[in-house]
Amino acid sequence: MTVTLRMASVGDLSRGTTSRHRSDAFRRLGIEVLEFDTAPYAAAGGRLASALRIRLLADLVVRRLNADLVAFCRDVRPDLVWFDKPTFVWRSTLDRLRRLGILLVNYVIDNPYSTLPGEPGWRLIRKCIPHYDVNVVPRPSSVDDYRAAGASHVVLMPLAFDPMVHYPQANVDPQAIGESPAAEHRVCFIGSPYGDRPGLIGELGRRGLPVTVRGNRWAPHIATSGENVRFMPEAVGDEYRRAIWNADICLGLITHAHRDPVAHRSFEIAASGGFLLGERTEGQTATFAEDLEACFFGDVDEAAEKAAYYLRHERARHAIARAGAVRAWTSGYSNDERQAAALAEIDGRLGAGLVDRARVIVASRRTQVGLS
């Protein structure tokens, strides 16, 4: 039996966001997706107004967002609303939507119980957790946190890559590799300066390894990082994938304050055919076989040693990157497969049919990108 689902996708649906990737994946699965983009509301009034809004979570724009969302759902009548990091959504709005007979699902890729300093905007999300029908979380530790906050139904949906965005540049035969032009970035890190990342990257540079950092909020660390570390703006969408392609080694660093077992970028790096050098954690080594599909380190000494070794050994580097890509594309790590499994758990009527459809989509895409 074919079951149709009409979904309202609510979140920052700007180009390159993971919310956009998830919304597109739902549509590929055959779900009727109706989008409500919160990005214009978050950015309304310019940078100062936006910064105040994320701290106060209450102004005329937030009021308008909630009123517009209720009107939107009354108009399109979805079966389910998928909230993707609903920073500005009020409890009263959820109550009004529930009275319309709509199933309310909350997903936050970050951790609202994170210990990261200076991260405002979690107050409403934490307060509203008990008022969603289902809370979907990307890490095991959040299951307990959400249940303690009053969540009645929590579904674990691990982090993933997007098969339409993260894919290898070419089907490389390691035996055919000879001398090739130097990559644009020898060692590359893409992301924010959380935790001890600036110290690690600066130390790699001091040991003679050329490191490129792509990301925001690094200005305070530029002067202390040394001459071997260069900084570039963040990479989004196609530029993000090209940054992975143009690097010999990509660092996969854990956001420890989120209690993540695996770095989100580890999935994206491997799926894009990049050579992954990540922190050694139980989650990372369970995701990719060490020294076969990715390489890992326990401290800066090991990170520097392995980076230097694989910069010198191109064939081994390409062979590991290729194996990592195959692992990512054949192990259910894609958005399509993760989201299909989560929806099947939320609504049993969707069942195995949705999961099977996701597998077909990814298998077809895998052939297109030369990994079959």
PDB file of all heavy atoms in Angstrom, residues 270-298:
ATOM      1  N   ALA A 270      34.319  12.300   3.712  1.00  0.00           N
ATOM      2  CA  ALA A 270      34.487  10.972   3.118  1.00  0.00           C
ATOM      3  C   ALA A 270      33.597  10.797   1.895  1.00  0.00           C
ATOM      4  O   ALA A 270      34.050  10.292   0.858  1.00  0.00           O
ATOM      5  CB  ALA A 270      34.181   9.898   4.160  1.00  0.00           C
ATOM      6  N   ALA A 271      32.330  11.204   1.991  1.00  0.00           N
ATOM      7  CA  ALA A 271      31.407  11.048   0.862  1.00  0.00           C
ATOM      8  C   ALA A 271      31.863  11.846  -0.346  1.00  0.00           C
ATOM      9  O   ALA A 271      31.593  11.463  -1.495  1.00  0.00           O
ATOM     10  CB  ALA A 271      30.005  11.478   1.271  1.00  0.00           C
ATOM     11  N   SER A 272      32.576  12.950  -0.107  1.00  0.00           N
ATOM     12  CA  SER A 272      33.069  13.791  -1.203  1.00  0.00           C
ATOM     13  C   SER A 272      34.395  13.298  -1.760  1.00  0.00           C
ATOM     14  O   SER A 272      34.977  13.928  -2.648  1.00  0.00           O
ATOM     15  CB  SER A 272      33.231  15.242  -0.719  1.00  0.00           C
ATOM     16  OG  SER A 272      31.995  15.774  -0.303  1.00  0.00           O
ATOM     17  N   GLY A 273      34.891  12.177  -1.248  1.00  0.00           N
ATOM     18  CA  GLY A 273      36.143  11.625  -1.747  1.00  0.00           C
ATOM     19  C   GLY A 273      37.372  12.240  -1.126  1.00  0.00           C
ATOM     20  O   GLY A 273      38.486  12.062  -1.641  1.00  0.00           O
ATOM     21  N   GLY A 274      37.204  12.962  -0.019  1.00  0.00           N
ATOM     22  CA  GLY A 274      38.347  13.570   0.645  1.00  0.00           C
ATOM     23  C   GLY A 274      39.054  12.597   1.565  1.00  0.00           C
ATOM     24  O   GLY A 274      38.468  11.627   2.054  1.00  0.00           O
ATOM     25  N   PHE A 275      40.324  12.853   1.807  1.00  0.00           N
ATOM     26  CA  PHE A 275      41.088  12.058   2.769  1.00  0.00           C
ATOM     27  C   PHE A 275      40.796  12.604   4.152  1.00  0.00           C
ATOM     28  O   PHE A 275      41.105  13.756   4.466  1.00  0.00           O
ATOM     29  CB  PHE A 275      42.589  12.132   2.480  1.00  0.00           C
ATOM     30  CG  PHE A 275      43.441  11.374   3.466  1.00  0.00           C
ATOM     31  CD1 PHE A 275      43.766  10.045   3.244  1.00  0.00           C
ATOM     32  CD2 PHE A 275      43.908  11.989   4.625  1.00  0.00           C
ATOM     33  CE1 PHE A 275      44.543   9.342   4.158  1.00  0.00           C
ATOM     34  CE2 PHE A 275      44.687  11.293   5.536  1.00  0.00           C
ATOM     35  CZ  PHE A 275      44.999   9.961   5.302  1.00  0.00           C
ATOM     36  N   LEU A 276      40.198  11.775   5.002  1.00  0.00           N
ATOM     37  CA  LEU A 276      39.770  12.186   6.329  1.00  0.00           C
ATOM     38  C   LEU A 276      40.833  11.849   7.375  1.00  0.00           C
ATOM     39  O   LEU A 276      41.191  10.682   7.555  1.00  0.00           O
ATOM     40  CB  LEU A 276      38.449  11.489   6.694  1.00  0.00           C
ATOM     41  CG  LEU A 276      37.948  11.648   8.135  1.00  0.00           C
ATOM     42  CD1 LEU A 276      37.684  13.116   8.470  1.00  0.00           C
ATOM     43  CD2 LEU A 276      36.688  10.812   8.353  1.00  0.00           C
ATOM     44  N   LEU A 277      41.317  12.893   8.044  1.00  0.00           N
ATOM     45  CA  LEU A 277      42.181  12.737   9.217  1.00  0.00           C
ATOM     46  C   LEU A 277      41.413  13.314  10.398  1.00  0.00           C
ATOM     47  O   LEU A 277      41.287  14.529  10.536  1.00  0.00           O
ATOM     48  CB  LEU A 277      43.513  13.466   9.019  1.00  0.00           C
ATOM     49  CG  LEU A 277      44.493  13.414  10.207  1.00  0.00           C
ATOM     50  CD1 LEU A 277      44.856  11.967  10.566  1.00  0.00           C
ATOM     51  CD2 LEU A 277      45.754  14.226   9.912  1.00  0.00           C
ATOM     52  N   GLY A 278      40.854  12.436  11.211  1.00  0.00           N
ATOM     53  CA  GLY A 278      39.965  12.880  12.276  1.00  0.00           C
ATOM     54  C   GLY A 278      40.440  12.503  13.656  1.00  0.00           C
ATOM     55  O   GLY A 278      41.371  11.702  13.824  1.00  0.00           O
ATOM     56  N   GLU A 279      39.784  13.075  14.651  1.00  0.00           N
ATOM     57  CA  GLU A 279      40.073  12.702  16.029  1.00  0.00           C
ATOM     58  C   GLU A 279      39.619  11.262  16.273  1.00  0.00           C
ATOM     59  O   GLU A 279      38.563  10.849  15.804  1.00  0.00           O
ATOM     60  CB  GLU A 279      39.343  13.630  16.992  1.00  0.00           C
ATOM     61  CG  GLU A 279      39.850  15.057  16.967  1.00  0.00           C
ATOM     62  CD  GLU A 279      39.060  15.934  17.929  1.00  0.00           C
ATOM     63  OE1 GLU A 279      39.278  15.826  19.153  1.00  0.00           O
ATOM     64  OE2 GLU A 279      38.220  16.709  17.454  1.00  0.00           O
ATOM     65  N   ARG A 280      40.425  10.530  17.021  1.00  0.00           N
ATOM     66  CA  ARG A 280      40.081   9.144  17.320  1.00  0.00           C
ATOM     67  C   ARG A 280      39.084   9.094  18.477  1.00  0.00           C
ATOM     68  O   ARG A 280      39.418   9.420  19.612  1.00  0.00           O
ATOM     69  CB  ARG A 280      41.333   8.326  17.657  1.00  0.00           C
ATOM     70  CG  ARG A 280      41.028   6.837  17.874  1.00  0.00           C
ATOM     71  CD  ARG A 280      42.262   6.049  18.274  1.00  0.00           C
ATOM     72  NE  ARG A 280      43.248   6.000  17.195  1.00  0.00           N
ATOM     73  CZ  ARG A 280      44.382   6.685  17.195  1.00  0.00           C
ATOM     74  NH1 ARG A 280      44.680   7.475  18.217  1.00  0.00           N
ATOM     75  NH2 ARG A 280      45.219   6.600  16.186  1.00  0.00           N
ATOM     76  N   THR A 281      37.863   8.727  18.168  1.00  0.00           N
ATOM     77  CA  THR A 281      36.837   8.496  19.169  1.00  0.00           C
ATOM     78  C   THR A 281      36.163   7.171  18.838  1.00  0.00           C
ATOM     79  O   THR A 281      36.292   6.662  17.720  1.00  0.00           O
ATOM     80  CB  THR A 281      35.764   9.602  19.172  1.00  0.00           C
ATOM     81  OG1 THR A 281      35.045   9.558  17.925  1.00  0.00           O
ATOM     82  CG2 THR A 281      36.388  10.985  19.361  1.00  0.00           C
ATOM     83  N   GLU A 282      35.447   6.640  19.797  1.00  0.00           N
ATOM     84  CA  GLU A 282      34.744   5.379  19.550  1.00  0.00           C
ATOM     85  C   GLU A 282      33.761   5.522  18.392  1.00  0.00           C
ATOM     86  O   GLU A 282      33.612   4.616  17.567  1.00  0.00           O
ATOM     87  CB  GLU A 282      34.009   4.953  20.818  1.00  0.00           C
ATOM     88  CG  GLU A 282      33.362   3.583  20.734  1.00  0.00           C
ATOM     89  CD  GLU A 282      32.744   3.154  22.051  1.00  0.00           C
ATOM     90  OE1 GLU A 282      33.145   3.694  23.098  1.00  0.00           O
ATOM     91  OE2 GLU A 282      31.853   2.270  22.031  1.00  0.00           O
ATOM     92  N   GLY A 283      33.101   6.685  18.327  1.00  0.00           N
ATOM     93  CA  GLY A 283      32.145   6.907  17.251  1.00  0.00           C
ATOM     94  C   GLY A 283      32.802   7.006  15.889  1.00  0.00           C
ATOM     95  O   GLY A 283      32.310   6.440  14.898  1.00  0.00           O
ATOM     96  N   GLN A 284      33.929   7.690  15.810  1.00  0.00           N
ATOM     97  CA  GLN A 284      34.610   7.858  14.527  1.00  0.00           C
ATOM     98  C   GLN A 284      35.147   6.530  14.006  1.00  0.00           C
ATOM     99  O   GLN A 284      35.006   6.209  12.821  1.00  0.00           O
ATOM    100  CB  GLN A 284      35.759   8.864  14.674  1.00  0.00           C
ATOM    101  CG  GLN A 284      35.326  10.274  15.058  1.00  0.00           C
ATOM    102  CD  GLN A 284      35.405  11.264  13.927  1.00  0.00           C
ATOM    103  OE1 GLN A 284      34.482  11.380  13.122  1.00  0.00           O
ATOM    104  NE2 GLN A 284      36.501  11.998  13.862  1.00  0.00           N
ATOM    105  N   THR A 285      35.765   5.741  14.887  1.00  0.00           N
ATOM    106  CA  THR A 285      36.351   4.476  14.426  1.00  0.00           C
ATOM    107  C   THR A 285      35.277   3.435  14.125  1.00  0.00           C
ATOM    108  O   THR A 285      35.534   2.489  13.377  1.00  0.00           O
ATOM    109  CB  THR A 285      37.340   3.922  15.470  1.00  0.00           C
ATOM    110  OG1 THR A 285      36.689   3.772  16.741  1.00  0.00           O
ATOM    111  CG2 THR A 285      38.533   4.855  15.630  1.00  0.00           C
ATOM    112  N   ALA A 286      34.086   3.592  14.706  1.00  0.00           N
ATOM    113  CA  ALA A 286      32.979   2.700  14.348  1.00  0.00           C
ATOM    114  C   ALA A 286      32.383   3.073  13.000  1.00  0.00           C
ATOM    115  O   ALA A 286      31.778   2.234  12.319  1.00  0.00           O
ATOM    116  CB  ALA A 286      31.899   2.741  15.427  1.00  0.00           C
ATOM    117  N   THR A 287      32.573   4.317  12.595  1.00  0.00           N
ATOM    118  CA  THR A 287      31.993   4.819  11.352  1.00  0.00           C
ATOM    119  C   THR A 287      32.887   4.519  10.155  1.00  0.00           C
ATOM    120  O   THR A 287      32.399   4.171   9.070  1.00  0.00           O
ATOM    121  CB  THR A 287      31.747   6.329  11.465  1.00  0.00           C
ATOM    122  OG1 THR A 287      30.897   6.585  12.589  1.00  0.00           O
ATOM    123  CG2 THR A 287      31.096   6.886  10.211  1.00  0.00           C
ATOM    124  N   PHE A 288      34.196   4.651  10.336  1.00  0.00           N
ATOM    125  CA  PHE A 288      35.171   4.383   9.272  1.00  0.00           C
ATOM    126  C   PHE A 288      36.311   3.533   9.840  1.00  0.00           C
ATOM    127  O   PHE A 288      36.829   3.828  10.918  1.00  0.00           O
ATOM    128  CB  PHE A 288      35.727   5.681   8.692  1.00  0.00           C
ATOM    129  CG  PHE A 288      34.698   6.553   8.032  1.00  0.00           C
ATOM    130  CD1 PHE A 288      34.185   7.666   8.689  1.00  0.00           C
ATOM    131  CD2 PHE A 288      34.216   6.248   6.771  1.00  0.00           C
ATOM    132  CE1 PHE A 288      33.221   8.465   8.092  1.00  0.00           C
ATOM    133  CE2 PHE A 288      33.247   7.031   6.167  1.00  0.00           C
ATOM    134  CZ  PHE A 288      32.748   8.148   6.831  1.00  0.00           C
ATOM    135  N   ALA A 289      36.705   2.504   9.109  1.00  0.00           N
ATOM    136  CA  ALA A 289      37.773   1.613   9.558  1.00  0.00           C
ATOM    137  C   ALA A 289      39.100   2.366   9.561  1.00  0.00           C
ATOM    138  O   ALA A 289      39.524   2.913   8.535  1.00  0.00           O
ATOM    139  CB  ALA A 289      37.864   0.396   8.650  1.00  0.00           C
ATOM    140  N   GLU A 290      39.772   2.348  10.710  1.00  0.00           N
ATOM    141  CA  GLU A 290      40.998   3.132  10.859  1.00  0.00           C
ATOM    142  C   GLU A 290      42.118   2.607   9.970  1.00  0.00           C
ATOM    143  O   GLU A 290      42.360   1.395   9.887  1.00  0.00           O
ATOM    144  CB  GLU A 290      41.448   3.138  12.315  1.00  0.00           C
ATOM    145  CG  GLU A 290      42.668   4.015  12.558  1.00  0.00           C
ATOM    146  CD  GLU A 290      42.921   4.338  14.018  1.00  0.00           C
ATOM    147  OE1 GLU A 290      42.226   3.772  14.892  1.00  0.00           O
ATOM    148  OE2 GLU A 290      43.813   5.164  14.277  1.00  0.00           O
ATOM    149  N   ASP A 291      42.760   3.550   9.293  1.00  0.00           N
ATOM    150  CA  ASP A 291      43.891   3.319   8.392  1.00  0.00           C
ATOM    151  C   ASP A 291      43.501   2.578   7.116  1.00  0.00           C
ATOM    152  O   ASP A 291      44.367   2.277   6.287  1.00  0.00           O
ATOM    153  CB  ASP A 291      45.031   2.568   9.095  1.00  0.00           C
ATOM    154  CG  ASP A 291      45.633   3.368  10.234  1.00  0.00           C
ATOM    155  OD1 ASP A 291      45.587   4.611  10.169  1.00  0.00           O
ATOM    156  OD2 ASP A 291      46.130   2.759  11.192  1.00  0.00           O
ATOM    157  N   LEU A 292      42.220   2.282   6.955  1.00  0.00           N
ATOM    158  CA  LEU A 292      41.721   1.678   5.722  1.00  0.00           C
ATOM    159  C   LEU A 292      40.762   2.612   4.997  1.00  0.00           C
ATOM    160  O   LEU A 292      40.830   2.752   3.774  1.00  0.00           O
ATOM    161  CB  LEU A 292      41.015   0.353   6.024  1.00  0.00           C
ATOM    162  CG  LEU A 292      41.876  -0.765   6.627  1.00  0.00           C
ATOM    163  CD1 LEU A 292      41.006  -1.959   6.990  1.00  0.00           C
ATOM    164  CD2 LEU A 292      42.971  -1.169   5.649  1.00  0.00           C
ATOM    165  N   GLU A 293      39.850   3.262   5.752  1.00  0.00           N
ATOM    166  CA  GLU A 293      38.840   4.154   5.173  1.00  0.00           C
ATOM    167  C   GLU A 293      39.005   5.588   5.653  1.00  0.00           C
ATOM    168  O   GLU A 293      38.412   6.511   5.090  1.00  0.00           O
ATOM    169  CB  GLU A 293      37.442   3.647   5.532  1.00  0.00           C
ATOM    170  CG  GLU A 293      37.178   2.248   4.981  1.00  0.00           C
ATOM    171  CD  GLU A 293      35.979   1.566   5.612  1.00  0.00           C
ATOM    172  OE1 GLU A 293      35.525   2.026   6.679  1.00  0.00           O
ATOM    173  OE2 GLU A 293      35.489   0.578   5.030  1.00  0.00           O
ATOM    174  N   ALA A 294      39.790   5.793   6.681  1.00  0.00           N
ATOM    175  CA  ALA A 294      40.114   7.111   7.227  1.00  0.00           C
ATOM    176  C   ALA A 294      41.273   6.925   8.177  1.00  0.00           C
ATOM    177  O   ALA A 294      41.609   5.794   8.561  1.00  0.00           O
ATOM    178  CB  ALA A 294      38.913   7.712   7.960  1.00  0.00           C
ATOM    179  N   CYS A 295      41.900   8.021   8.570  1.00  0.00           N
ATOM    180  CA  CYS A 295      42.962   7.962   9.572  1.00  0.00           C
ATOM    181  C   CYS A 295      42.562   8.829  10.765  1.00  0.00           C
ATOM    182  O   CYS A 295      41.862   9.839  10.605  1.00  0.00           O
ATOM    183  CB  CYS A 295      44.291   8.428   8.991  1.00  0.00           C
ATOM    184  SG  CYS A 295      44.997   7.241   7.835  1.00  0.00           S
ATOM    185  N   PHE A 296      43.024   8.438  11.939  1.00  0.00           N
ATOM    186  CA  PHE A 296      42.638   9.140  13.160  1.00  0.00           C
ATOM    187  C   PHE A 296      43.864   9.416  14.012  1.00  0.00           C
ATOM    188  O   PHE A 296      44.905   8.779  13.871  1.00  0.00           O
ATOM    189  CB  PHE A 296      41.620   8.301  13.942  1.00  0.00           C
ATOM    190  CG  PHE A 296      40.371   8.006  13.159  1.00  0.00           C
ATOM    191  CD1 PHE A 296      40.108   6.717  12.695  1.00  0.00           C
ATOM    192  CD2 PHE A 296      39.464   9.010  12.861  1.00  0.00           C
ATOM    193  CE1 PHE A 296      38.965   6.442  11.962  1.00  0.00           C
ATOM    194  CE2 PHE A 296      38.327   8.748  12.125  1.00  0.00           C
ATOM    195  CZ  PHE A 296      38.074   7.468  11.677  1.00  0.00           C
ATOM    196  N   PHE A 297      43.702  10.375  14.935  1.00  0.00           N
ATOM    197  CA  PHE A 297      44.796  10.732  15.836  1.00  0.00           C
ATOM    198  C   PHE A 297      44.252  10.948  17.245  1.00  0.00           C
ATOM    199  O   PHE A 297      43.076  11.269  17.433  1.00  0.00           O
ATOM    200  CB  PHE A 297      45.515  11.997  15.349  1.00  0.00           C
ATOM    201  CG  PHE A 297      44.642  13.232  15.285  1.00  0.00           C
ATOM    202  CD1 PHE A 297      44.489  14.059  16.398  1.00  0.00           C
ATOM    203  CD2 PHE A 297      43.975  13.574  14.111  1.00  0.00           C
ATOM    204  CE1 PHE A 297      43.691  15.191  16.340  1.00  0.00           C
ATOM    205  CE2 PHE A 297      43.178  14.705  14.047  1.00  0.00           C
ATOM    206  CZ  PHE A 297      43.033  15.519  15.164  1.00  0.00           C
ATOM    207  N   GLY A 298      45.160  10.762  18.227  1.00  0.00           N
ATOM    208  CA  GLY A 298      44.775  10.950  19.610  1.00  0.00           C
ATOM    209  C   GLY A 298      45.305  12.227  20.220  1.00  0.00           C
ATOM    210  O   GLY A 298      44.788  12.696  21.237  1.00  0.00           O
TER     211      GLY A 298
END
